[in-house]
């Protein structure tokens, strides 16, 4: 899996250099965009179930707020570090701009292994981390959301802790909350649906039907699992899916409903006799129409890119492909729907949730889905148009669109003083 040597922040900065060739933006401004705006690092104690006190390290990084409040998920993972969070925050800035919603970019994370913790320990970590970073959070300042190994329950604890500090309920401080606490209908499924909507647009552009299309998905969580469900419903054949322990493969198509039920009940994938077990490395190299990396960064690198046999890569995960791998895939003619476009459904419906919270309104699921589809299709079209007009890959085109919008916002606001 991850080589452990590739620094996502360096990748994210390199992407700015690549896109800058097609942007008419002053070099000082580009340099500003290569830096984050604000970084908070906290070390905090948590009392574990054993009575022992352990110290955890957490981060909240705001990359840019020129177009609106900082927005981005919180990740719980043993490998979280400052540079990873910086890169993820930067990608959030471009992503919000690509889908043209009025948010900036942020990200957060706590270095921990949630698989080894009880619910109570997770709650204690979440509440203390929220308290530590609360000085920069708020519906007008910085709004967290779920990411790897965090979920609506974690968002509920963040919202409750922040509300206790304020003395009144502040639902707009997080998105991806449970519906009962002001979460939006359709938010839980939004990222996976967005991956499917943009994949459908790519298939349409390539004049290929979705029925029977072979789909391979790495990661079986919020993004990968939901994408699998919707591809399956649309008549595509999901031939492989994995989690952190490895994957299942059946060239005739997997029984996705059974696999997802099993994953939610037992937190693992269980192999049946018609299926084959495969490693995450093997899964990425399967021949397919659509490959959806939906786990972590740096999965497709210069080491395995030449062996990728997908026609389309729809990046559910953030940063799954390195710039070196991009070059190899572009030469092979693989159509890449880049992360800042493909997985932007999550931040889009997070924006809807925030709007509903501020206005104290509740939209129907149909309304959410209809607006999400419209925004994802429009954004895909805008990126594709730039890609075709400038003869550049889809990732560069998306960066040109996103960075261009952010740079223009900064130019219009001016540099203070
Ligand atoms: P999740 O915690 O719900 O699921 C993560 C999945 O990845 C799990 O199935 C896990 O088993 C698997 N996984 C973990 N390590 C792995 C490894 N080394 N190899 C293979 N699989 C592994 O997280 P998620 O919310 O689905 O996030 C997945 C990716 O999508 C991340 O890159 C995240 O930043 C990105 N993303 C998420 C959202 C969102 O709304 N949740 C939005 C945009 C982007």
């Amino acid at each position: 899996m991850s080589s452990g040597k590739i620094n996502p922040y360096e990748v994210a900065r390199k992407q700015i250099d690549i896109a800058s060739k097609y942007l008419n933006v002053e070099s000082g401004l580009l340099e500003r965009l290569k830096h984050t705006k604000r970084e908070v690092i906290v070390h905090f104690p948590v009392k574990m179930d054993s009575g022992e006190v352990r110290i955890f390290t957490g981060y909240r990084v705001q990359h840019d707020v020129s177009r609106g409040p900082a927005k981005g998920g919180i990740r719980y993972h043993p490998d979280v570090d400052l540079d990873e969070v910086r890169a993820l925050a930067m990608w959030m800035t471009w992503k919000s701009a690509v889908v043209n919603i009025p948010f900036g970019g942020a990200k957060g994370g706590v270095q921990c292994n949630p698989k080894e913790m009880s619910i109570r320990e997770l709650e204690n970590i979440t509440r203390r981390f929220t308290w530590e970073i609360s000085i920069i959070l708020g519906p007008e300042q910085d709004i967290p959301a779920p990411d790897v190994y965090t979920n609506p329950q974690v968002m509920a604890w963040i919202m409750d802790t922040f509300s206790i500090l304020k003395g009144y309920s502040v639902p707009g401080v997080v998105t991806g909350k449970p519906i009962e606490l002001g979460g939006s209908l359709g938010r839980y499924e939004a990222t996976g649906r967005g991956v499917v909507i943009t994949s459908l647009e790519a298939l349409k552009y390539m004049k290929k039907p979705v029925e029977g299309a072979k789909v391979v998905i790495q990661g079986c969580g919020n993004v990968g699992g939901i994408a699998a469900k919707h591809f399956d419903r649309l008549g595509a054949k999901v031939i492989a899916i994995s989690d952190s322990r490895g994957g299942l493969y059946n060239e005739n198509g997997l029984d996705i409903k059974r696999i997802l039920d099993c994953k939610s009940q037992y937190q693992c994938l269980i192999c049946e006799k018609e299926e084959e077990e495969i490693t995450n490395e093997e899964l990425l190299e399967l021949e397919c129409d659509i490959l959806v990396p939906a786990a972590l960064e740096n999965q497709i690198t210069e080491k395995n890119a030449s062996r990728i046999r997908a026609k389309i890569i729809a990046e559910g995960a953030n940063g799954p492909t390195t710039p070196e791998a991009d070059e190899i895939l572009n030469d092979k003619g693989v159509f890449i729907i880049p992360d800042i476009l493909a997985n932007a459904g999550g931040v889009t419906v997070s924006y809807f949730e925030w709007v509903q919270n501020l206005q104290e309104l509740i939209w129907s699921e149909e309304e959410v889905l209809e607006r999400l589809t419209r925004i994802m299709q429009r954004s895909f079209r805008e990126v594709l148009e730039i890609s075709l007009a400038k003869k550049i890959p889809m990732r560069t085109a998306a960066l040109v669109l996103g960075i261009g919008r952010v740079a223009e916002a900064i130019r219009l606001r001016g540099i203070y003083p």
Side-chain angles (χ1 to χ4, degrees), residues 211-230:
E211 295 80 12
K214 285 187 183 175
V215 180
V216 168
I217 302 181
Q218 184 195 43
C220 189
N222 176 257
V223 181
I226 301 290
K229 178 173 119 181
H230 287 283

Side-chain angles (χ1 to χ4, degrees), residues 158-356:
I158 294 176
M159 179 254 190
D160 185 65
T161 308
F162 189 83
S163 299
I164 288 168
L165 283 167
K166 288 287 165 189
Y168 51 89
S169 280
V170 191
V173 70
V174 282
T175 59
K177 298 176 288 293
I179 307 293
E180 295 81 349
L181 295 177
S184 177
L185 292 164
R187 171 61 185 90
Y188 186 74
E189 297 221 332
T191 310
R193 275 191 186 264
V195 169
V196 175
I197 295 167
T198 50
S199 298
L200 291 180
E201 291 303 299
L203 284 169
K204 218 185 295 171
Y205 169 65
M206 295 168 86
K207 299 193 171 48
K208 286 178 188 293
V210 66
E211 295 80 12
K214 285 187 183 175
V215 180
V216 168
I217 302 181
Q218 184 195 43
C220 189
N222 176 257
V223 181
I226 301 290
K229 178 173 119 181
H230 287 283
F231 274 123
D232 188 57
R233 280 195 186 161
L234 287 165
K237 246 197 294 183
V238 181
I239 60 167
I241 194 161
S242 65
D243 67 9
S244 57
R245 281 157 287 209
L248 303 180
Y249 169 63
N250 180 347
E251 66 168 338
N252 299 315
L254 295 165
D255 181 350
I256 288 301
K257 188 174 175 322
R258 181 193 67 76
I259 290 171
L260 295 182
D261 285 350
C262 177
K263 176 79 181 162
S264 81
Q265 212 175 332
Y266 307 110
Q267 283 75 54
C268 63
L269 306 176
I270 295 175
C271 192
E272 293 288 334
K273 45 177 186 313
E274 65 277 15
E275 295 153 359
E276 223 177 279
E277 286 190 45
I278 51 168
T279 66
N280 265 297
E281 288 81 359
E282 289 165 342
L283 171 137
L284 291 172
E285 296 172 16
L286 288 171
E287 186 170 5
C288 61
D289 295 296
I290 305 171
L291 170 64
V292 183
L296 296 169
E297 301 91 65
N298 301 334
Q299 300 304 300
I300 307 177
T301 67
E302 59 190 330
K303 291 198 182 123
N304 61 357
S306 60
R307 295 192 298 276
I308 300 290
R309 290 183 290 160
K311 296 186 181 70
I312 297 169
I313 299 179
E315 294 183 334
N318 287 307
T321 313
T322 65
E324 294 74 23
D326 260 339
E327 272 188 40
I328 298 168
L329 296 169
N330 290 333
D331 287 346
K332 278 163 66 98
V334 180
F335 187 93
I336 300 176
I337 314 170
D339 46 7
I340 57 172
L341 170 63
N343 70 36
V347 75
T348 302
V349 178
S350 276
Y351 166 60
F352 299 162
E353 181 171 327
W354 179 74
V355 167
Q356 291 171 78

Side-chain angles (χ1 to χ4, degrees), residues 18 22 326 330 336 338 383 386-387 390-399:
I18 295 169
Y22 308 94
D326 260 339
N330 290 333
I336 300 176
V383 172
I386 296 172
S387 162
K390 294 189 185 289
K391 298 188 172 45
I392 53 178
M394 286 288 280
R395 185 183 320 281
T396 314
L399 288 164

Side-chain angles (χ1 to χ4, degrees), residues 366-391:
E366 293 70 38
E367 193 171 354
V368 168
L369 187 58
E370 189 262 319
R371 286 175 191 253
L372 168 69
T373 306
R374 205 167 352 120
I375 289 179
M376 295 306 292
Q377 289 177 338
R378 183 198 66 208
S379 307
F380 181 94
R381 233 179 8 251
E382 286 179 349
V383 172
L384 182 64
E385 274 165 20
I386 296 172
S387 162
L388 295 175
K390 294 189 185 289
K391 298 188 172 45

